[in-house]
Amino acid sequence: MANSLLMPPSSSEPQNALALSQQAPSFFKSQTSWSLPYPLSLFSNSESQEKWQSYENILIACLRTGDNESAYLYLEELTDRFGETNERVIALRGLYAEATARTPQELDDVMANYEEILKEDPSVFTIRKRRAALLRSMGKTSEAVTALTNLLDTSPTDVETWAELADVYVELGLYEQAIFSLEEVLLFAPNAWNMQAKLGEVLYLSAVRAEGGDQLKTLSESMRRFCRSIELCDYYLRGYYGLKLSTTKLLDVLATSKKSQQAAADPVTGELATPSLAAVTKLNEVATSKLVEIVRRSASGEKDWDGYNAAEVIAARELIEKDVQKIQR
């Protein structure tokens, strides 16, 4: 249980968040309350960074699963420990208010509270982030974009904000802006395999609606990003899924494209040559083989192969079956 308590629930599977929230009451009872004031509480056995991280993770898991009562208990413990003026606590209290709001008016009240906090102190970065997230969830997309870009004006190296902005741009169909945002993410986190795959996905979406040489170039870059993601994380399902999609599309385009549309390597600009048909075919075969293995071993419940997202495994199986049907025809 210790490992799951320290895992951010926002990135975990729904069933994992549910399992974590179900343990919230018993875990709460097992914790001895501290009575010494800070910093003397640091000498208490119950005082540790892991403990409070676990409290925050359980709080978020409970909000995800609708256990507001347990979430409130953990929120109060965090508030008592760190104080109502702590930035993290302020953000968590705001998150709780958002999650428990039942009407648009209550969400407006949460937004008004954020505005009031920022009016008093515009430097509360966590609340500025929550405000941007709330604007997005309320459907005020253009205002969310403005809020996120203002955040980046203040902190241009904030990877989380760049990633959030990229997601908003994808929703709006502004793929070029989304690609730029994800490239900024990778400037600061070049080994983030999930972001490499995310960039590959957006490049693929952009390529689908492009034509001619631009489509070839974008598809090739999409394929390379997926290759990089699986280079960084072997057996990364989304990476192999994207590699399968991009190479399949690239094979179709290469088969019908004119030679003049295929770019050559340019040492001045750093532009890479269009990949050969043989190379793309080989990568497509590798992606198929890996997807088959992942689906098979995950479905059989093999040890250490049960951590994949169930929906992604189903999507991978459908992609493989679609490929088989295409070959049979």
Side-chain angles (χ1 to χ4, degrees):
M1 180 179 174
N3 290 334
S4 62
L5 287 175
L6 296 174
M7 182 182 297
S10 57
S11 60
S12 65
E13 290 289 295
Q15 60 266 29
N16 294 337
L18 178 60
L20 186 59
S21 67
Q22 288 173 338
Q23 298 177 71
S26 59
F27 181 76
F28 186 82
K29 291 178 181 178
S30 70
Q31 301 300 300
T32 56
S33 60
W34 58 275
S35 57
L36 294 174
Y38 181 83
L40 294 178
S41 59
L42 293 173
F43 296 99
S44 170
N45 290 333
S46 64
E47 180 73 21
S48 68
Q49 182 178 350
E50 289 77 12
K51 172 183 176 178
W52 302 113
Q53 183 63 60
S54 298
Y55 272 39
E56 181 176 329
N57 289 345
I58 294 174
L59 162 62
I60 296 172
C62 289
L63 290 178
R64 286 185 66 188
T65 56
D67 186 0
N68 298 333
E69 184 177 343
S70 294
Y72 183 77
L73 290 175
Y74 284 93
L75 180 60
E76 286 300 294
E77 285 290 307
L78 288 164
T79 303
D80 290 343
R81 167 60 183 82
F82 296 101
E84 292 186 355
T85 58
N86 178 272
E87 281 194 24
R88 192 69 179 172
V89 170
I90 293 173
L92 289 172
R93 295 188 75 86
L95 181 63
Y96 177 84
E98 291 176 40
T100 55
R102 297 183 179 180
T103 65
Q105 181 57 51
E106 289 181 352
L107 283 177
D108 288 338
D109 292 341
V110 176
M111 180 62 73
N113 183 47
Y114 288 161
E115 299 285 1
E116 189 64 29
I117 293 171
L118 293 174
K119 186 177 180 180
E120 295 179 5
D121 185 1
S123 66
V124 184
F125 206 69
T126 52
I127 292 301
R128 292 179 66 183
K129 283 189 173 184
R130 287 268 23 108
R131 177 179 176 274
L134 182 55
L135 284 169
R136 184 183 177 188
S137 67
M138 294 172 72
K140 300 179 180 180
T141 311
S142 60
E143 293 180 48
V145 170
T146 301
L148 290 168
T149 51
N150 287 339
L151 275 169
L152 291 169
D153 286 339
T154 304
S155 179
T157 61
D158 190 274
V159 172
E160 186 180 59
T161 304
W162 277 115
E164 181 80 6
L165 184 59
D167 283 343
V168 177
Y169 281 140
V170 170
E171 287 181 4
L172 296 172
L174 302 174
Y175 298 135
E176 288 187 12
Q177 291 88 333
I179 290 167
F180 176 84
S181 299
L182 289 170
E183 286 174 342
E184 289 295 313
V185 171
L186 291 170
L187 279 177
F188 306 109
N191 294 330
W193 60 85
N194 58 329
M195 289 294 104
Q196 292 283 357
K198 180 69 175 178
L199 179 53
E201 291 168 7
V202 180
L203 284 163
Y204 179 82
L205 291 172
S206 177
V208 167
R209 68 183 188 187
E211 295 179 355
D214 287 340
Q215 186 178 48
L216 259 179
K217 179 181 176 181
T218 309
L219 273 174
S220 299
E221 182 60 22
S222 172
M223 181 193 72
R224 294 186 186 103
R225 292 295 179 172
F226 287 123
C227 285
R228 180 58 177 156
S229 74
I230 58 180
E231 179 185 15
L232 291 167
C233 181
D234 197 14
Y235 290 101
Y236 181 46
L237 177 54
R238 290 184 74 94
Y240 284 112
Y241 186 93
L243 183 61
K244 176 65 178 176
L245 275 182
S246 59
T247 52
T248 299
K249 182 69 175 178
L250 194 51
L251 286 172
D252 292 339
V253 175
L254 282 171
T256 58
S257 65
K258 298 177 182 178
K259 194 168 184 179
S260 60
Q261 294 175 327
Q262 300 182 21
D266 189 336
V268 177
T269 62
E271 185 174 327
L272 299 175
T274 301
S276 67
L277 193 64
V280 177
T281 301
K282 180 62 177 177
L283 287 171
N284 186 274
E285 292 171 354
V286 170
T288 303
S289 174
K290 290 291 187 179
L291 285 174
V292 169
E293 182 182 4
I294 291 171
V295 170
R296 175 178 58 81
R297 301 183 77 169
S298 177
S300 64
E302 287 189 35
K303 185 180 179 181
D304 299 328
W305 288 82
D306 57 353
Y308 288 104
N309 182 296
E312 291 180 359
V313 173
I314 293 172
R317 182 185 294 111
E318 291 176 350
L319 182 63
I320 295 167
E321 291 173 352
K322 183 179 178 181
D323 195 46
V324 171
Q325 292 171 3
K326 183 178 178 182
I327 294 172
Q328 289 176 343
R329 292 196 192 100

